[in-house]
Amino acid sequence: MNIDEAFNIIDKAEVFGANLNCDRALHLYRHLGDPWRHMESFHVACTNGKGSISSYLTHILCQAGHKVGWYTSPYLIRFNERIRVLDGPADLARYDVDLTTGEIPDTDVVRLMGVVGKTAEKVHEEIGQHVTQFDMITAVAFLWFKEQGCDYAVLETGLGGRLDSTNILEKPIATMMASPGYDHMDRLGNTMAEIMSEKAGVIKRGTPVYAYNPSDALLSQDDAADARRVLEERCRAVDAPLTFVGHSDIEVLDYGREGQKFRSRHTGREYSTKLLGPYQPIYAMQSALAVAHAGLADSEAIRRGIETTVWPARLEVLSRSPFVLLDGAHNLQGMLGLKEALSRLSDGDPIVFLIGLFADKDYEKMLRALLTDSTFKIAGIVATEPPSERKLDAGTLAKTAERIMVHNRGEAVVIAEADIDAAMEKALRMAEEKKALICACGSLYLASGVKSAVHDLLG
């Protein structure tokens, strides 16, 4: 088997399970010897910010000298990004300059996927259920982390929680609930209470929960109240200690294009992070509290971990001259958070947006959230297309943006360009003419193409 054949095993599998339970994953892992069972793990769930939290956790643990298995989704450029092992501060230093550090090699993907693929066939014969793509990928991660002798694992859920392939964990070290929001409503429900009930399904009896305060999640007051109520009720039902973390727990000392400094209002300790989102200090403090409570890192390792954390495509600076940002804002709350960040980061400069969205999202509401009632000037919009069958065509996106921007007609130019390379070239030209910065956003699926285009065009 080669790597293409290994990926073909994944591609042929079902995306979602037919039955509303985790039986197929349970049977798959059992046949593989339950490689997760003796793995002490942090379990990261919810809508926005899972990747940031998992990166803070991994960096803090590595700075404390631990060997960490890090499982994330989706990938930006290579499948191998999803399954990674970093061993201590030395690996972190390498990761900071080379984001391929610690990725599972192709040879191990091929070897382990061969085993998992054959086992999945046995599971189907036994229980009549098809193992899903995410079940298989999660199984490969568990097997590889066990082989690598990881001290700890940091595991992100996929789109849900209760039915997620990672929810086989019986008692994680801590459950991390990121910022709640509306996404994947076709699978999770149409109300915040329904969505959070699915997400909160990862909370286990007696396991500490560190949750992003819903009041700071850019939700309506009613939605925030519903999200908080669901979390509180679930934690009471399973005797899980619950700690909310929000803006009131943090004092921002400095904020700019180089990063931000902040202080914990509870301990008085000061931290700095390179990540630019206004919400990042909350994610950092959730992670710090979880690791400190577990006794796995001292205050200096926590400080260094937060300071060294990197996470691509989340307000990532791709170029400083011209200033180019890439952000994976892919839902309403993500767009609202991006707008808040740009209000601070624009520093009076106009902005050229390069936007690509999915057709199955509420794209008009997302565009309105980003493009109306902003404190920054919009110089132009280049509508493009993410490389996916779910893409919204560039023409429709441009027309929708023009309708939303009708009040700004004559100031902001809106053009459609399906090809990402050509779209970035036009955005750069527009930014030069208008002395503007560029923000590429709308889908994580844009990341690879945008990064490649910026590298080719700017070096």
Side-chain angles (χ1 to χ4, degrees), residues 44-54 156-159 176-184 192 195-196 199 211-212 216-219 279-280 282-283 286 311 314 327-338 361 366 444:
V44 187
C46 225
T47 307
N48 295 311
K50 288 183 297 184
S52 295
I53 291 173
S54 73
E156 284 185 36
T157 61
L159 63 85
M176 315 298 295
M177 300 301 291
S179 178
Y182 282 97
D183 211 355
H184 302 295
M192 183 51 57
I195 291 169
M196 285 306 297
K199 304 285 189 181
Y212 192 107
D216 294 325
L218 301 174
L219 298 167
Y279 36 79
Q280 289 296 341
I282 299 177
Y283 298 145
Q286 284 180 260
W311 190 230
R314 280 72 173 181
D327 191 65
H330 59 279
N331 54 35
L332 177 60
Q333 280 68 44
M335 285 296 193
L336 289 169
L338 174 59
K361 302 274 187 174
M366 290 169 63
L444 281 169

Side-chain angles (χ1 to χ4, degrees), residues 40-275:
E40 293 193 81
S41 304
F42 290 84
H43 204 184
V44 187
C46 225
T47 307
N48 295 311
K50 288 183 297 184
S52 295
I53 291 173
S54 73
S55 189
Y56 283 120
L57 288 169
T58 299
H59 279 74
I60 292 170
L61 290 167
C62 284
Q63 288 290 3
H66 302 300
K67 187 174 187 179
V68 183
W70 186 11
Y71 181 50
T72 60
S73 64
Y75 66 88
L76 300 182
I77 298 173
R78 299 167 303 280
F79 169 88
N80 311 59
E81 296 169 26
R82 301 181 64 166
I83 303 171
R84 186 189 308 268
V85 172
L86 296 175
D87 189 0
D91 267 5
L92 282 186
R94 287 187 283 270
Y95 177 70
D96 196 33
V97 296
D98 178 7
L99 293 179
T100 67
T101 301
E103 291 177 358
I104 183 171
D106 282 354
T107 52
D108 287 325
V109 174
V110 171
R111 174 176 58 84
L112 294 174
M113 188 52 67
V115 174
V116 170
K118 290 178 181 177
T119 307
E121 293 175 1
K122 291 181 183 177
V123 170
H124 180 245
E125 290 173 3
E126 286 180 4
I127 65 172
Q129 292 185 38
H130 289 286
V131 171
T132 69
Q133 294 179 1
F134 199 66
D135 294 337
M136 289 183 173
I137 299 167
T138 304
V140 170
F142 284 147
L143 289 168
W144 197 59
F145 293 164
K146 182 178 180 181
E147 288 180 357
Q148 295 296 304
C150 294
D151 299 321
Y152 301 99
V154 175
L155 307 171
E156 284 185 36
T157 61
L159 63 85
R162 181 175 64 91
L163 302 176
D164 194 79
S165 304
T166 61
N167 205 27
I168 195 75
L169 301 177
E170 292 175 345
K171 190 171 176 57
I173 299 169
T175 301
M176 315 298 295
M177 300 301 291
S179 178
Y182 282 97
D183 211 355
H184 302 295
M185 281 118 75
D186 58 323
R187 308 293 304 181
L188 303 178
N190 293 312
T191 69
M192 183 51 57
E194 290 172 340
I195 291 169
M196 285 306 297
S197 292
E198 288 295 317
K199 304 285 189 181
V202 300
I203 296 171
K204 302 300 192 303
R205 181 165 298 279
T207 296
V209 177
Y210 299 88
Y212 192 107
N213 191 333
S215 299
D216 294 325
L218 301 174
L219 298 167
S220 71
Q221 190 172 358
D222 287 345
D223 282 343
D226 284 345
R228 186 181 185 104
R229 175 181 53 78
V230 170
L231 286 172
E232 289 174 338
E233 288 177 354
R234 172 64 180 173
C235 287
R236 278 198 300 270
V238 296
D239 295 320
L242 172 61
T243 301
F244 286 109
V245 183
H247 288 303
S248 62
D249 301 297
I250 293 152
E251 179 186 1
V252 177
L253 305 175
D254 186 41
Y255 186 91
R257 294 183 181 183
E258 300 296 326
Q260 52 189 316
K261 295 180 181 179
F262 59 96
R263 178 188 291 124
S264 166
R265 294 190 188 276
H266 300 292
T267 67
R269 291 194 177 96
E270 294 184 8
Y271 304 92
S272 63
T273 178
K274 292 180 279 191
L275 303 186

Side-chain angles (χ1 to χ4, degrees), residues 348-352 377-381 408 410-414 427-437:
D349 294 337
I351 300 173
V352 171
K377 181 179 178 182
I378 301 173
I381 299 169
N408 208 19
E411 296 181 35
V413 178
V414 181
L428 286 167
R429 193 179 307 125
M430 193 184 299
E432 183 178 11
E433 292 171 357
K434 305 207 174 191
K435 295 181 171 54
L437 64 87

